[in-house]
Amino acid sequence: ADLPTRWASEVSADRPPLKAYPRPQTARQSKQSLPSSLQKLRDDGDSNTWFNLNGLWEWEPAASEVPPFGKTLNGSILVPFPVESCLSGVAPKSSKDVVMRMWYRLTFDHRTPEDQRTLLNFGAVDWQTTVYVNKMKFGTFTGGYTGYELDITEYLAKDGSNEILVYVYDPSDLGHQPQGKQAISKIDNPSSTTYTPNSGIWQTVWLESVPSVCYIAAVEIEQSSLASVTLTASVVKDGLMPGAPVVTFTVMDGDVQVASASVDASVPVTLKIPSAKLWSPESPHLYDVKVTACSAEDTVFTYFGLRTFALGQHEGVTRPLLNGDFRFLAGFLDQSWWPDGIYTAPTDEALEFDILASKKFGMNMARMHTKVNPERWYYHADRHGLVVFQDMVQKYHNADPAVVPLFLQDMENTIAGRKNHPCIVQWTIFNEGDCWQEFNVTDVVRRVKQADPHRLVDTDSGGQANDLHVGDVNDIHTYPGPGDTQPSAKQYAMLGEFGGIGTFV
């Protein structure tokens, strides 16, 4: 059934939905742009460096995997709302009508300036995707929760008339991949702890312009400290450019510069922050960082929040200490499922509303449950001071050995794609008995610790793998509860879930 939220009335095919800049933690500013507030840059982006491709795309169920180049498709869909959402315009009315294989098509006008390159970005597509630009195949991408970027410069038409074709295959819960709480059967039978599935493009698609000779590809931030931050910038440069590009980091507290350094690209630099202001739920202080590279040809702005989250002793008991102090963390099991957009909030205001509502209810944390949200959700959590325990997406029910490489790929991409956010302080690898039985659990914990040694790890929230005691948390579930879990010298005690008290309306 269509269940529009109060924001649904703001969604229209007449204007691009979700117009907010999709990557606020790495906001690029061109040399041609006048300086503006960083808040505006992170919310709106710089029109000289990005172009939003959200809006009406052509769409149809796929009769084959042969690309329909130059052909108008039979229907249209409102991107980036997933197929099964009422906001997409093509939602199936019953489970038997679910489309597992589909084509998207967009024609657009774009010319790349001589001194620029054009990157095509997909925030997330569920699940397996093959992308073509002007008949050039850019490969097949697997994973429904994190994004990818394609350099399409050499394949854009000189007259500006371009075509994107996207083939998507998503078997949802009938496949081997981690799908979280999606279940095709729930279209006909909405009940229990699974929900309407989510297929296709479900996060913003956009073009980005970057300097052709050299540009900043990514910034890695290590902020688990009370006094310093470690920054590393990776740079993509033209093969003719000699030597390693120099990157300059300038840390600002409001309008005041507090630290700076210049180093070669890909070389970490640690900057001490004098009289550091720490990030916490009560005071989520963020420092801005201006990053310039390639002889100041490229500039991006990022941010960080200094905080630590580590095991320690409080009154003789092992506790998780935020900035060296124990505070009771309480929050919702946030599944981020929208009645109208499924995985996709109808507007950025709606996305932020969940964060503000949690705080208004007196919560100081959320467990992001078996889903990875768009980056703007974490940006809002960073700004408003909501601690996040981030789940890895599970293969919920009917797991088999085929899930292992797919899960590990999603896990690694989740950590790499979200670990710059100060709000995330803990990774949750498995949930209950969803799929851990197919894994060498100890090895998976080792992988997470290796990928991110600065956050705590919850091995299995409420499941039997928790009994192995190989992570940092002894985490149980009790319904309706609450129950009484116990800490040890190497683990703190957490009640990962309790309650489940409600009624159908």
Side-chain angles (χ1 to χ4, degrees):
D2 292 350
L3 295 171
T5 64
R6 63 185 174 93
W7 296 278
S9 62
E10 301 176 36
V11 177
S12 169
D14 297 331
R15 55 185 181 273
L18 291 171
K19 62 182 180 179
Y21 186 65
R23 199 185 56 205
Q25 206 179 43
T26 315
R28 176 167 274 109
Q29 186 172 55
S30 70
K31 292 197 301 181
Q32 293 77 26
S33 300
L34 296 174
S36 62
S37 74
L38 289 184
Q39 181 75 44
K40 181 173 176 57
L41 182 65
R42 288 171 179 145
D43 285 344
D44 299 340
D46 180 340
S47 61
N48 290 311
T49 67
W50 88 294
F51 181 74
N52 194 337
L53 295 180
N54 291 345
L56 274 182
W57 289 43
E58 296 172 26
W59 180 89
E60 69 180 23
S64 77
E65 296 183 33
V66 178
F69 297 128
K71 298 179 180 178
T72 301
L73 303 186
N74 292 328
S76 60
I77 187 171
L78 190 58
V79 170
F81 297 107
V83 170
E84 296 84 357
S85 70
C86 67
L87 295 179
S88 73
V90 296
K93 299 300 183 183
S94 67
S95 298
K96 66 180 177 60
D97 296 327
V98 163
V99 176
M100 295 187 186
R101 300 176 187 272
M102 64 200 78
W103 283 104
Y104 290 77
R105 180 175 182 261
L106 179 71
T107 56
F108 66 100
D109 185 83
H110 181 79
R111 296 168 180 82
T112 303
E114 289 185 4
D115 61 344
Q116 300 285 304
R117 301 195 69 80
T118 298
L119 309 179
L120 173 61
N121 291 270
F122 290 85
V125 186
D126 195 359
W127 167 69
Q128 194 172 72
T129 310
T130 306
V131 180
Y132 301 84
V133 178
N134 295 333
K135 299 185 179 181
M136 174 64 188
K137 181 179 178 179
F138 278 84
T140 297
F141 307 91
T142 300
Y145 295 92
T146 53
Y148 46 90
E149 175 185 277
L150 308 172
D151 187 337
I152 63 173
T153 309
E154 308 301 331
Y155 305 96
L156 292 174
K158 292 183 179 180
D159 67 359
S161 300
N162 301 286
E163 177 190 59
I164 298 173
L165 279 169
V166 181
Y167 175 79
V168 178
Y169 168 57
D170 181 19
S172 192
D173 59 315
L174 302 183
H176 299 289
Q177 81 277 14
Q179 93 286 4
K181 293 296 188 75
Q182 302 181 58
I184 293 174
S185 64
K186 296 307 172 182
I187 298 176
D188 286 344
N189 182 29
S191 61
S192 189
T193 59
T194 51
Y195 314 106
T196 302
N198 176 92
S199 300
I201 297 170
W202 69 276
Q203 290 187 28
T204 293
V205 185
W206 78 99
L207 298 177
E208 185 173 20
S209 295
V210 298
S212 59
V213 175
C214 175
Y215 67 91
I216 300 162
V219 180
E220 185 171 338
I221 304 168
E222 176 39 55
Q223 54 209 316
S224 294
S225 170
L226 303 180
S228 64
V229 62
T230 299
L231 302 166
T232 310
S234 57
V235 171
V236 174
K237 69 184 184 75
D238 188 293
L240 300 177
M241 183 178 180
V246 173
V247 181
T248 298
F249 299 99
T250 304
V251 179
M252 306 292 293
D253 183 5
D255 296 327
V256 179
Q257 179 177 320
V258 296
S260 66
S262 296
V263 295
D264 288 345
S266 301
V267 175
V269 61
T270 299
L271 297 174
K272 293 185 177 180
I273 308 301
S275 304
K277 302 171 185 176
L278 303 182
W279 185 95
S280 70
E282 299 79 22
S283 179
H285 189 82
L286 298 173
Y287 289 92
D288 297 311
V289 186
K290 182 180 181 181
V291 187
T292 58
C294 315
S295 301
E297 286 295 314
D298 196 24
T299 299
V300 300
F301 288 88
T302 186
Y303 64 85
F304 64 89
L306 294 179
R307 84 287 179 271
T308 59
F309 191 71
L311 295 180
Q313 294 294 307
H314 175 76
E315 298 180 352
V317 178
T318 303
R319 301 289 194 195
L321 304 182
L322 181 64
N323 301 331
D325 297 322
F326 173 66
R327 72 195 66 204
F328 189 82
L329 295 176
F332 295 117
L333 187 71
D334 191 337
Q335 307 198 30
S336 279
W337 226 279
W338 290 85
D340 44 12
I342 312 298
Y343 265 11
T344 308
T347 67
D348 189 61
E349 180 189 359
L351 192 70
E352 183 181 17
F353 177 85
D354 272 9
I355 305 290
L356 296 174
S358 291
K359 299 283 287 189
K360 192 171 183 178
F361 274 106
M363 306 300 181
N364 55 11
M365 63 83 66
R367 180 180 162 205
M368 180 46 56
H369 186 43
T370 195
K371 183 196 176 190
V372 182
N373 261 341
E375 279 208 60
R376 288 197 64 85
W377 187 88
Y378 301 92
Y379 166 62
H380 293 314
D382 291 338
R383 292 192 303 118
H384 294 301
L386 189 73
V387 170
V388 175
F389 292 177
Q390 176 64 52
D391 280 18
M392 302 304 162
V393 180
Q394 306 294 296
K395 173 57 183 170
Y396 192 67
H397 297 162
N398 302 317
D400 60 26
V403 74
V404 174
L406 301 172
F407 180 97
L408 294 177
Q409 175 184 281
D410 281 359
M411 181 184 79
E412 291 165 2
N413 289 341
T414 296
I415 294 171
R418 299 294 183 266
K419 71 177 182 179
N420 276 355
H421 289 279
C423 65
I424 300 176
V425 299
Q426 180 172 294
W427 303 113
T428 303
I429 302 176
F430 298 113
N431 178 71
E432 296 180 346
D434 295 355
C435 62
W436 68 266
Q437 299 91 337
E438 305 299 332
F439 294 82
N440 179 332
V441 173
T442 301
D443 180 65
V444 179
V445 172
R446 178 194 61 79
R447 286 172 181 253
V448 174
K449 288 285 191 181
Q450 186 175 40
D452 185 359
H454 304 287
R455 285 181 171 88
L456 296 185
V457 174
D458 186 345
T459 301
D460 183 16
S461 184
Q464 289 181 325
N466 180 65
D467 298 338
L468 299 174
H469 298 293
V470 293
D472 300 305
V473 191
N474 182 22
D475 181 349
I476 69 168
H477 296 177
T478 58
Y479 284 91
D484 182 20
T485 182
Q486 296 299 314
S488 67
K490 295 182 179 180
Q491 292 187 310
Y492 80 85
M494 174 179 167
L495 183 57
E497 296 181 27
F498 82 93
I501 302 167
T503 185
F504 287 103
V505 177

